[in-house]
Amino acid sequence: MTGITIGAFAKAVGVRTDTIRYYERDGLLPPPARTAAGYRLYDDSDLERVRFIRKAQGLGFTLSEIAALLALRASDTARAADVLDVTERKIAESIARISELSRISAALKQLAEQCPVEAPVTDCPILAHLANTSTAPSKV
Amino acid sequence: MTGITIGAFAKAVGVRTDTIRYYERDGLLPPPARTAAGYRLYDDSDLERVRFIRKAQGLGFTLSEIAALLALRASDTARAADVLDVTERKIAESIARISELSRISAALKQLAEQCPVEAPVTDCPILAHLANTSTAPSKV
DNA sequence: TTGCGGCTTGGACCATAGTCCAAGGTCAAC
DNA sequence: GTTGACCTTGGACTATGGTCCAAGCCGCAA
């Protein structure tokens, strides 16, 4: 019976034990081996798997996208193009979000510049802008 | 007893009736007048208020930030600088998020370019990168 | 053998911004 | 006088990624 229990494992990958159990519930980690007493036992492949997950999160993938990537990796019929699809969707998503945020920060900066700091709020161009009937709201 | 009931009101501002009730529960809208039968009645000031909310959402503010903005607007001691503070925090947040997303999309693009489309997944540089022990994960 | 830390489970809870539902009251039209 | 559209309430549910909790084992050391 080799492997380490959940506390040491979680520490090794830098997450909480709850997170490990959560990944298991969520299907991201396979049901681990158990000791006679029922303690979960993790090995190097689990270690690698959690590191994969954290790294993918760092690249903006959601857990369900990561599950898809892990499934592709495990498949013997999948092609690199399948992974590329997932990646390109994420790229497109990031770019769309960047342009949305650029629009927002540009608009806010413009309003912020006009703001007469010492004036009472009634003179605030930011509030005036928000109160203005023009300019469309957006589906956020 | 003037005013319109929730259905017409919601339609006028382009949201669902549930959303209007939700805003009320959340403190964004004041408890409205009621008909004898208990129906909510909305007037022009409510209309303006919901439009303010939707517009602020379009600028990336969360509902609790919007509640703060509305409180500032209603205050007779607040200064324009107070609104500016909220705005500048949002700008900083947007910029931080943009740079995070730029990092992500740049990394993904670089990986995507190296991807040999017809190869089996075992040759996929994207998966190889994620499986690689180097490169730090990030707290997302 | 007692104590302490670590492990087990199921389930509740966090924030965000709603959405949906059931059971029942209201109102205008036909 | 009944149909159908609208309104009321409280509460549950959605997705996301965990976090926390209670009650109860397990294992090792003093």
Side-chain angles (χ1 to χ4, degrees):
Chain A
M1 211 177 278
T2 55
I4 54 178
T5 53
I6 198 167
F9 178 62
K11 185 168 283 186
V13 290
V15 305
R16 315 213 165 193
T17 56
D18 281 328
T19 302
I20 298 300
R21 291 193 199 95
Y22 173 72
Y23 286 172
E24 181 185 336
R25 271 206 305 290
D26 215 43
L28 286 159
L29 288 178
R34 300 275 185 155
T35 66
Y39 285 22
R40 287 173 179 79
L41 284 179
Y42 295 95
D43 60 24
D44 286 352
S45 82
D46 296 309
L47 210 62
E48 190 272 336
R49 202 170 171 95
V50 175
R51 292 206 173 110
F52 182 105
I53 294 168
R54 301 304 278 187
K55 202 152 170 182
Q57 281 188 305
L59 286 177
F61 291 105
T62 65
L63 294 185
S64 81
E65 288 162 345
I66 294 168
L69 290 173
L70 287 168
L72 286 175
R73 182 170 74 152
S75 155
D76 46 353
T77 59
R79 311 251 105 205
D82 300 326
V83 177
L84 188 58
D85 279 353
V86 176
T87 304
E88 284 181 338
R89 246 175 282 137
K90 182 57 58 182
I91 293 171
E93 205 181 296
S94 304
I95 289 175
R97 187 74 182 130
I98 287 171
S99 70
E100 170 77 355
L101 288 169
S102 301
R103 173 187 71 72
I104 286 173
S105 70
L108 292 177
K109 274 180 194 167
Q110 213 232 303
L111 290 168
E113 271 167 25
Q114 294 165 24
C115 191
V117 173
E118 286 305 322
V121 269
T122 41
D123 295 351
C124 178
I126 299 168
L127 293 182
H129 174 82
L130 292 171
N132 198 329
T133 311
S134 64
T135 313
S138 87
K139 201 96 190 175
V140 177
Chain B
M1 212 178 277
T2 55
I4 54 178
T5 53
I6 198 168
F9 177 64
K11 185 169 284 186
V13 289
V15 306
R16 316 214 166 191
T17 56
D18 282 328
T19 302
I20 298 300
R21 291 193 200 95
Y22 172 72
Y23 287 172
E24 182 185 336
R25 270 205 306 289
D26 215 43
L28 285 161
L29 288 178
R34 300 275 185 155
T35 66
Y39 286 19
R40 287 173 179 80
L41 284 179
Y42 295 95
D43 60 24
D44 287 352
S45 80
D46 296 308
L47 212 59
E48 190 271 336
R49 201 170 170 94
V50 174
R51 291 207 173 109
F52 182 105
I53 293 168
R54 300 306 276 188
K55 203 152 170 180
Q57 281 187 304
L59 287 176
F61 291 105
T62 64
L63 293 185
S64 81
E65 288 162 345
I66 294 167
L69 289 174
L70 287 168
L72 287 175
R73 183 169 75 150
S75 154
D76 46 354
T77 58
R79 310 252 107 204
D82 300 327
V83 177
L84 188 57
D85 278 353
V86 177
T87 304
E88 285 182 338
R89 246 174 283 136
K90 183 57 59 182
I91 293 171
E93 205 181 296
S94 304
I95 289 174
R97 188 75 183 127
I98 287 171
S99 68
E100 171 78 356
L101 288 168
S102 301
R103 173 187 71 71
I104 286 172
S105 70
L108 291 176
K109 273 180 194 166
Q110 213 233 304
L111 289 168
E113 271 166 28
Q114 294 166 23
C115 191
V117 173
E118 286 306 323
V121 268
T122 41
D123 295 353
C124 178
I126 299 169
L127 293 182
H129 174 83
L130 291 171
N132 198 330
T133 311
S134 63
T135 314
S138 87
K139 201 97 189 173
V140 177

